[in-house]
Amino acid sequence: MKQTLLRIREEALRALSENGADLEALRIRYLGKKGELTAVLRGMGALSAEERPVIGQIANEVRAAIEEEITRRAAELKVAAIEARLASEKLDVTVPGDEVAVGHVHPISRIQREMEDIFIGMGYDIVEGPEVEYDYYNFQALNIPPDHPARDTQDTFYITDNILLRSQTSPVQVRTMEKRRPPIRIISPGRVYRSDAVDASHSPLFHQMEGLVVDRGVTMGNLKATLEMFARKMFGEDTRVRFRPHHFPFTEPSAEVDVSCFACGGKGCRLCKGEGWIEILGAGMVHPNVLRGCDIDPDEYSGFAFGMGIERVALLKYHIDDMRLLYENDVRFLAQF
Ligand code: DAH
């Protein structure tokens, strides 16, 4: 019996040290109620009175030795588990991070925001109008009756006889004057559509920014000062502005407005094609018929309006010589801005 007990101890200790990961299974196998040690102790009844305490003591020692080993292994396994976890969760904060590709604002939007900021600084509100528009707002209310030749200069996409894709942002002037009473001071940026073939300076979809001011005593002088201020902020402090007489049905008088070439300062270069001046917008004093159509009395109020191409400003400011680059959205191009 003593031999059996010593063998159990030896086996148990070996099992614990060799593959003692499942400690609970080993404990049950050797020390449990149906375990090997218990089985031996059950046979103690057959021993003589002298043998019993001797074997009993050995049995206790064997049990204590196995228990101690189990406890020791448990502690050992716990430390090993913590070390494994620390190793697997180790984080090297000095490793360079993965670069996250973040986009940025498109050059057209960027220029538009810059333009908006300048006018917001002068007290203008931003209003928006629909891109699918009535003929009435795009033409008639702007003093362009059905057979007016000005309609030919803007090749318009018609959806029905009286619904179209707006060819200019000027209809927002009318929509605004219908809803608000003077003083009015707004800009309206947005998309416009014309049935033009795509080339370096044309696109069937482009962007304009309309401006409208209506109040008592508004003059052409105010228009000039406003556009000068805008041009200086947009293109640089030395920029000068020039008005050339022109005709728009919805303004009287009307002008096309040039800025001095900010690339050569007015001497003449490739950007301004030797002119020294670059056309950036159309403008004028709101025609009395337009005011009247919106129930604003032209004897009491006057106003000025202007409209400029946002792409045009972007091309000039960024020295881009082909408008198509702005729409193709080649990231190698866009990333330069
Ligand atoms: N709507 C004109 C165009 O698309 C630009 C324009 C000219 C707008 C004169 C105006 C203006 O408000 O007063 O060519």
Side-chain angles (χ1 to χ4, degrees), residues 157-195:
F157 288 113
Y158 277 88
I159 293 168
T160 67
D161 278 352
N162 66 342
I163 297 177
L164 43 74
L165 295 180
R166 67 179 180 188
S167 62
Q168 48 187 354
T169 43
S170 304
V172 187
Q173 290 186 28
V174 181
R175 287 182 172 274
T176 305
M177 286 189 281
E178 280 183 348
K179 280 196 241 65
R180 300 193 190 182
R181 297 293 88 189
I184 293 170
R185 205 183 294 164
I186 58 113
I187 51 167
S188 184
R191 297 190 189 98
V192 300
Y193 302 83
R194 289 182 199 181
S195 145

Tab-separated table of all heavy atoms in Angstrom, residues 157-195:
chain	number	residue	atom	x	y	z
A	157	PHE	N	-31.615	74.973	-71.946
A	157	PHE	CA	-32.221	73.636	-71.922
A	157	PHE	C	-33.665	73.784	-71.453
A	157	PHE	O	-33.914	74.119	-70.291
A	157	PHE	CB	-31.500	72.735	-70.915
A	157	PHE	CG	-30.122	72.288	-71.325
A	157	PHE	CD1	-29.001	72.725	-70.624
A	157	PHE	CD2	-29.946	71.401	-72.380
A	157	PHE	CE1	-27.726	72.288	-70.972
A	157	PHE	CE2	-28.668	70.954	-72.738
A	157	PHE	CZ	-27.568	71.409	-72.036
A	158	TYR	N	-34.604	73.512	-72.340
A	158	TYR	CA	-36.018	73.551	-71.943
A	158	TYR	C	-36.479	72.166	-71.514
A	158	TYR	O	-36.115	71.158	-72.115
A	158	TYR	CB	-36.883	74.050	-73.104
A	158	TYR	CG	-36.901	75.562	-73.181
A	158	TYR	CD1	-35.939	76.253	-73.904
A	158	TYR	CD2	-37.866	76.280	-72.477
A	158	TYR	CE1	-35.942	77.633	-73.948
A	158	TYR	CE2	-37.880	77.661	-72.523
A	158	TYR	CZ	-36.919	78.333	-73.257
A	158	TYR	OH	-36.925	79.694	-73.286
A	159	ILE	N	-37.297	72.129	-70.485
A	159	ILE	CA	-37.894	70.864	-70.042
A	159	ILE	C	-39.312	70.782	-70.594
A	159	ILE	O	-39.711	69.778	-71.173
A	159	ILE	CB	-37.862	70.758	-68.504
A	159	ILE	CG1	-36.394	70.635	-68.058
A	159	ILE	CG2	-38.681	69.555	-68.025
A	159	ILE	CD1	-36.160	70.812	-66.592
A	160	THR	N	-40.078	71.858	-70.437
A	160	THR	CA	-41.358	72.006	-71.136
A	160	THR	C	-41.327	73.416	-71.714
A	160	THR	O	-40.310	74.111	-71.619
A	160	THR	CB	-42.561	71.883	-70.175
A	160	THR	OG1	-42.548	73.006	-69.294
A	160	THR	CG2	-42.506	70.589	-69.371
A	161	ASP	N	-42.457	73.851	-72.282
A	161	ASP	CA	-42.486	75.193	-72.870
A	161	ASP	C	-42.168	76.280	-71.846
A	161	ASP	O	-41.600	77.309	-72.201
A	161	ASP	CB	-43.880	75.481	-73.466
A	161	ASP	CG	-44.000	74.870	-74.853
A	161	ASP	OD1	-42.961	74.380	-75.363
A	161	ASP	OD2	-45.113	74.865	-75.408
A	162	ASN	N	-42.559	76.056	-70.619
A	162	ASN	CA	-42.320	77.131	-69.654
A	162	ASN	C	-41.468	76.712	-68.450
A	162	ASN	O	-41.357	77.439	-67.473
A	162	ASN	CB	-43.649	77.759	-69.187
A	162	ASN	CG	-44.467	76.773	-68.396
A	162	ASN	OD1	-44.227	75.570	-68.473
A	162	ASN	ND2	-45.417	77.272	-67.621
A	163	ILE	N	-40.862	75.524	-68.536
A	163	ILE	CA	-39.941	75.109	-67.462
A	163	ILE	C	-38.589	74.784	-68.105
A	163	ILE	O	-38.525	74.151	-69.156
A	163	ILE	CB	-40.477	73.877	-66.707
A	163	ILE	CG1	-41.803	74.244	-66.016
A	163	ILE	CG2	-39.466	73.380	-65.668
A	163	ILE	CD1	-42.456	73.081	-65.311
A	164	LEU	N	-37.519	75.232	-67.447
A	164	LEU	CA	-36.191	75.088	-68.046
A	164	LEU	C	-35.141	74.909	-66.954
A	164	LEU	O	-35.445	75.008	-65.759
A	164	LEU	CB	-35.885	76.343	-68.875
A	164	LEU	CG	-36.235	77.717	-68.279
A	164	LEU	CD1	-35.276	78.134	-67.184
A	164	LEU	CD2	-36.254	78.770	-69.368
A	165	LEU	N	-33.924	74.592	-67.364
A	165	LEU	CA	-32.801	74.643	-66.429
A	165	LEU	C	-32.294	76.077	-66.479
A	165	LEU	O	-31.985	76.586	-67.570
A	165	LEU	CB	-31.691	73.671	-66.860
A	165	LEU	CG	-32.063	72.187	-66.819
A	165	LEU	CD1	-30.869	71.337	-67.268
A	165	LEU	CD2	-32.480	71.784	-65.404
A	166	ARG	N	-32.237	76.724	-65.350
A	166	ARG	CA	-31.895	78.153	-65.383
A	166	ARG	C	-30.567	78.371	-66.108
A	166	ARG	O	-29.612	77.607	-65.916
A	166	ARG	CB	-31.864	78.737	-63.972
A	166	ARG	CG	-30.744	78.195	-63.116
A	166	ARG	CD	-30.761	78.845	-61.739
A	166	ARG	NE	-29.674	78.329	-60.920
A	166	ARG	CZ	-29.521	78.594	-59.630
A	166	ARG	NH1	-30.388	79.366	-58.994
A	166	ARG	NH2	-28.513	78.102	-58.955
A	167	SER	N	-30.524	79.416	-66.923
A	167	SER	CA	-29.317	79.704	-67.695
A	167	SER	C	-28.474	80.763	-66.997
A	167	SER	O	-27.403	81.125	-67.466
A	167	SER	CB	-29.695	80.184	-69.093
A	167	SER	OG	-30.444	81.379	-68.994
A	168	GLN	N	-28.974	81.279	-65.892
A	168	GLN	CA	-28.265	82.309	-65.127
A	168	GLN	C	-28.825	82.308	-63.699
A	168	GLN	O	-29.887	81.734	-63.444
A	168	GLN	CB	-28.479	83.688	-65.778
A	168	GLN	CG	-29.931	83.974	-66.117
A	168	GLN	CD	-30.120	85.268	-66.914
A	168	GLN	OE1	-29.175	86.000	-67.124
A	168	GLN	NE2	-31.343	85.550	-67.340
A	169	THR	N	-28.105	82.955	-62.778
A	169	THR	CA	-28.621	83.041	-61.409
A	169	THR	C	-29.515	84.269	-61.229
A	169	THR	O	-30.124	84.436	-60.163
A	169	THR	CB	-27.471	83.080	-60.378
A	169	THR	OG1	-26.449	83.972	-60.849
A	169	THR	CG2	-26.883	81.702	-60.143
A	170	SER	N	-29.653	85.078	-62.272
A	170	SER	CA	-30.471	86.293	-62.155
A	170	SER	C	-31.931	86.043	-61.719
A	170	SER	O	-32.509	86.910	-61.056
A	170	SER	CB	-30.448	87.071	-63.473
A	170	SER	OG	-29.116	87.362	-63.833
A	171	PRO	N	-32.566	84.894	-62.064
A	171	PRO	CA	-33.935	84.691	-61.583
A	171	PRO	C	-34.060	84.780	-60.062
A	171	PRO	O	-35.143	85.107	-59.547
A	171	PRO	CB	-34.308	83.291	-62.087
A	171	PRO	CG	-33.059	82.671	-62.617
A	171	PRO	CD	-32.186	83.816	-63.010
A	172	VAL	N	-32.975	84.524	-59.343
A	172	VAL	CA	-33.053	84.611	-57.876
A	172	VAL	C	-33.294	86.060	-57.434
A	172	VAL	O	-33.892	86.304	-56.381
A	172	VAL	CB	-31.792	84.008	-57.212
A	172	VAL	CG1	-31.967	83.946	-55.700
A	172	VAL	CG2	-31.481	82.630	-57.775
A	173	GLN	N	-32.852	87.013	-58.254
A	173	GLN	CA	-33.178	88.429	-57.965
A	173	GLN	C	-34.691	88.601	-57.838
A	173	GLN	O	-35.192	89.197	-56.887
A	173	GLN	CB	-32.739	89.340	-59.119
A	173	GLN	CG	-31.264	89.527	-59.309
A	173	GLN	CD	-31.009	90.573	-60.404
A	173	GLN	OE1	-31.822	91.465	-60.625
A	173	GLN	NE2	-29.866	90.467	-61.071
A	174	VAL	N	-35.391	88.081	-58.845
A	174	VAL	CA	-36.841	88.274	-58.892
A	174	VAL	C	-37.514	87.538	-57.735
A	174	VAL	O	-38.373	88.096	-57.038
A	174	VAL	CB	-37.398	87.770	-60.247
A	174	VAL	CG1	-38.902	87.987	-60.305
A	174	VAL	CG2	-36.692	88.467	-61.403
A	175	ARG	N	-37.108	86.274	-57.527
A	175	ARG	CA	-37.695	85.502	-56.430
A	175	ARG	C	-37.475	86.214	-55.089
A	175	ARG	O	-38.341	86.200	-54.219
A	175	ARG	CB	-37.078	84.098	-56.373
A	175	ARG	CG	-37.560	83.213	-57.508
A	175	ARG	CD	-36.974	81.814	-57.396
A	175	ARG	NE	-37.580	80.920	-58.361
A	175	ARG	CZ	-38.720	80.252	-58.147
A	175	ARG	NH1	-39.350	80.376	-56.994
A	175	ARG	NH2	-39.217	79.463	-59.076
A	176	THR	N	-36.313	86.844	-54.933
A	176	THR	CA	-36.024	87.535	-53.679
A	176	THR	C	-36.887	88.790	-53.535
A	176	THR	O	-37.465	89.047	-52.477
A	176	THR	CB	-34.531	87.913	-53.621
A	176	THR	OG1	-33.751	86.747	-53.820
A	176	THR	CG2	-34.180	88.547	-52.285
A	177	MET	N	-36.983	89.562	-54.629
A	177	MET	CA	-37.754	90.813	-54.550
A	177	MET	C	-39.244	90.542	-54.378
A	177	MET	O	-39.969	91.379	-53.837
A	177	MET	CB	-37.502	91.674	-55.798
A	177	MET	CG	-36.123	92.323	-55.774
A	177	MET	SD	-35.891	93.546	-57.074
A	177	MET	CE	-35.547	92.520	-58.494
A	178	GLU	N	-39.698	89.362	-54.826
A	178	GLU	CA	-41.112	89.019	-54.592
A	178	GLU	C	-41.367	88.772	-53.115
A	178	GLU	O	-42.448	89.023	-52.609
A	178	GLU	CB	-41.487	87.749	-55.375
A	178	GLU	CG	-41.773	88.007	-56.847
A	178	GLU	CD	-42.203	86.726	-57.568
A	178	GLU	OE1	-42.068	85.630	-56.992
A	178	GLU	OE2	-42.674	86.848	-58.716
A	179	LYS	N	-40.359	88.241	-52.439
A	179	LYS	CA	-40.566	87.823	-51.038
A	179	LYS	C	-40.157	88.883	-50.033
A	179	LYS	O	-40.710	88.951	-48.940
A	179	LYS	CB	-39.750	86.551	-50.758
A	179	LYS	CG	-40.424	85.299	-51.277
A	179	LYS	CD	-39.803	84.079	-50.645
A	179	LYS	CE	-39.177	83.125	-51.528
A	179	LYS	NZ	-38.183	82.981	-52.358
A	180	ARG	N	-39.149	89.687	-50.371
A	180	ARG	CA	-38.641	90.644	-49.378
A	180	ARG	C	-38.897	92.064	-49.841
A	180	ARG	O	-38.946	92.343	-51.033
A	180	ARG	CB	-37.123	90.474	-49.207
A	180	ARG	CG	-36.673	89.124	-48.740
A	180	ARG	CD	-35.215	89.247	-48.312
A	180	ARG	NE	-34.622	87.941	-48.064
A	180	ARG	CZ	-33.372	87.764	-47.651
A	180	ARG	NH1	-32.576	88.802	-47.467
A	180	ARG	NH2	-32.913	86.555	-47.426
A	181	ARG	N	-38.980	92.949	-48.895
A	181	ARG	CA	-39.078	94.382	-49.188
A	181	ARG	C	-37.712	95.018	-48.950
A	181	ARG	O	-36.933	94.536	-48.112
A	181	ARG	CB	-40.118	95.045	-48.287
A	181	ARG	CG	-41.572	94.552	-48.460
A	181	ARG	CD	-42.160	94.926	-49.819
A	181	ARG	NE	-41.879	93.914	-50.834
A	181	ARG	CZ	-42.130	94.066	-52.145
A	181	ARG	NH1	-42.645	95.198	-52.603
A	181	ARG	NH2	-41.855	93.109	-52.982
A	182	PRO	N	-37.408	96.119	-49.672
A	182	PRO	CA	-36.111	96.780	-49.447
A	182	PRO	C	-36.010	97.264	-47.992
A	182	PRO	O	-37.052	97.536	-47.398
A	182	PRO	CB	-36.159	97.976	-50.417
A	182	PRO	CG	-37.245	97.646	-51.404
A	182	PRO	CD	-38.213	96.763	-50.695
A	183	PRO	N	-34.821	97.412	-47.447
A	183	PRO	CA	-33.530	97.186	-48.102
A	183	PRO	C	-33.225	95.692	-48.328
A	183	PRO	O	-33.402	94.897	-47.415
A	183	PRO	CB	-32.524	97.794	-47.124
A	183	PRO	CG	-33.195	97.758	-45.796
A	183	PRO	CD	-34.663	97.912	-46.057
A	184	ILE	N	-32.742	95.408	-49.523
A	184	ILE	CA	-32.358	94.040	-49.887
A	184	ILE	C	-30.871	94.054	-50.216
A	184	ILE	O	-30.403	94.953	-50.926
A	184	ILE	CB	-33.150	93.571	-51.127
A	184	ILE	CG1	-34.642	93.432	-50.793
A	184	ILE	CG2	-32.586	92.243	-51.665
A	184	ILE	CD1	-35.514	93.215	-52.021
A	185	ARG	N	-30.170	93.072	-49.681
A	185	ARG	CA	-28.737	92.982	-49.994
A	185	ARG	C	-28.379	91.494	-49.966
A	185	ARG	O	-28.162	90.920	-48.907
A	185	ARG	CB	-27.941	93.745	-48.930
A	185	ARG	CG	-26.600	94.231	-49.427
A	185	ARG	CD	-25.814	94.907	-48.342
A	185	ARG	NE	-26.400	96.160	-47.868
A	185	ARG	CZ	-26.051	96.741	-46.727
A	185	ARG	NH1	-25.157	96.196	-45.944
A	185	ARG	NH2	-26.609	97.888	-46.360
A	186	ILE	N	-28.360	90.881	-51.146
A	186	ILE	CA	-28.151	89.433	-51.194
A	186	ILE	C	-27.130	89.038	-52.267
A	186	ILE	O	-26.903	89.761	-53.234
A	186	ILE	CB	-29.468	88.675	-51.520
A	186	ILE	CG1	-30.080	89.116	-52.863
A	186	ILE	CG2	-30.498	88.871	-50.419
A	186	ILE	CD1	-30.087	88.081	-53.946
A	187	ILE	N	-26.532	87.878	-52.045
A	187	ILE	CA	-25.824	87.207	-53.139
A	187	ILE	C	-26.461	85.835	-53.305
A	187	ILE	O	-27.061	85.308	-52.362
A	187	ILE	CB	-24.304	87.040	-52.880
A	187	ILE	CG1	-24.063	86.416	-51.505
A	187	ILE	CG2	-23.576	88.350	-53.055
A	187	ILE	CD1	-22.642	85.931	-51.323
A	188	SER	N	-26.344	85.276	-54.497
A	188	SER	CA	-26.925	83.959	-54.744
A	188	SER	C	-26.017	83.141	-55.651
A	188	SER	O	-26.023	83.306	-56.863
A	188	SER	CB	-28.304	84.109	-55.371
A	188	SER	OG	-28.882	82.826	-55.516
A	189	PRO	N	-25.205	82.282	-55.041
A	189	PRO	CA	-24.334	81.427	-55.846
A	189	PRO	C	-25.081	80.161	-56.258
A	189	PRO	O	-26.011	79.736	-55.573
A	189	PRO	CB	-23.212	81.065	-54.878
A	189	PRO	CG	-23.837	81.127	-53.520
A	189	PRO	CD	-25.006	82.077	-53.597
A	190	GLY	N	-24.690	79.559	-57.371
A	190	GLY	CA	-25.315	78.283	-57.728
A	190	GLY	C	-24.992	77.841	-59.135
A	190	GLY	O	-24.308	78.524	-59.893
A	191	ARG	N	-25.534	76.665	-59.469
A	191	ARG	CA	-25.290	76.089	-60.791
A	191	ARG	C	-26.216	76.706	-61.825
A	191	ARG	O	-27.374	76.995	-61.526
A	191	ARG	CB	-25.561	74.582	-60.776
A	191	ARG	CG	-24.655	73.803	-59.870
A	191	ARG	CD	-24.860	72.313	-60.130
A	191	ARG	NE	-24.148	71.535	-59.134
A	191	ARG	CZ	-24.730	71.016	-58.054
A	191	ARG	NH1	-26.016	71.165	-57.859
A	191	ARG	NH2	-24.013	70.346	-57.184
A	192	VAL	N	-25.691	76.860	-63.034
A	192	VAL	CA	-26.506	77.286	-64.169
A	192	VAL	C	-26.175	76.394	-65.356
A	192	VAL	O	-25.138	75.726	-65.365
A	192	VAL	CB	-26.274	78.783	-64.516
A	192	VAL	CG1	-26.630	79.676	-63.335
A	192	VAL	CG2	-24.840	79.025	-64.956
A	193	TYR	N	-27.081	76.376	-66.326
A	193	TYR	CA	-26.970	75.404	-67.428
A	193	TYR	C	-27.150	76.091	-68.768
A	193	TYR	O	-28.058	76.911	-68.934
A	193	TYR	CB	-28.054	74.335	-67.275
A	193	TYR	CG	-27.983	73.594	-65.966
A	193	TYR	CD1	-28.561	74.126	-64.805
A	193	TYR	CD2	-27.308	72.387	-65.867
A	193	TYR	CE1	-28.492	73.455	-63.595
A	193	TYR	CE2	-27.224	71.708	-64.664
A	193	TYR	CZ	-27.819	72.242	-63.528
A	193	TYR	OH	-27.737	71.579	-62.339
A	194	ARG	N	-26.291	75.765	-69.714
A	194	ARG	CA	-26.458	76.256	-71.078
A	194	ARG	C	-26.033	75.164	-72.036
A	194	ARG	O	-25.057	74.460	-71.781
A	194	ARG	CB	-25.615	77.511	-71.332
A	194	ARG	CG	-26.180	78.710	-70.595
A	194	ARG	CD	-25.416	79.978	-70.859
A	194	ARG	NE	-25.709	80.940	-69.802
A	194	ARG	CZ	-25.223	82.163	-69.733
A	194	ARG	NH1	-24.383	82.587	-70.662
A	194	ARG	NH2	-25.552	82.946	-68.740
A	195	SER	N	-26.743	75.070	-73.134
A	195	SER	CA	-26.448	73.991	-74.067
A	195	SER	C	-25.217	74.351	-74.903
A	195	SER	O	-25.293	74.608	-76.100
A	195	SER	CB	-27.702	73.730	-74.894
A	195	SER	OG	-27.419	73.384	-76.169
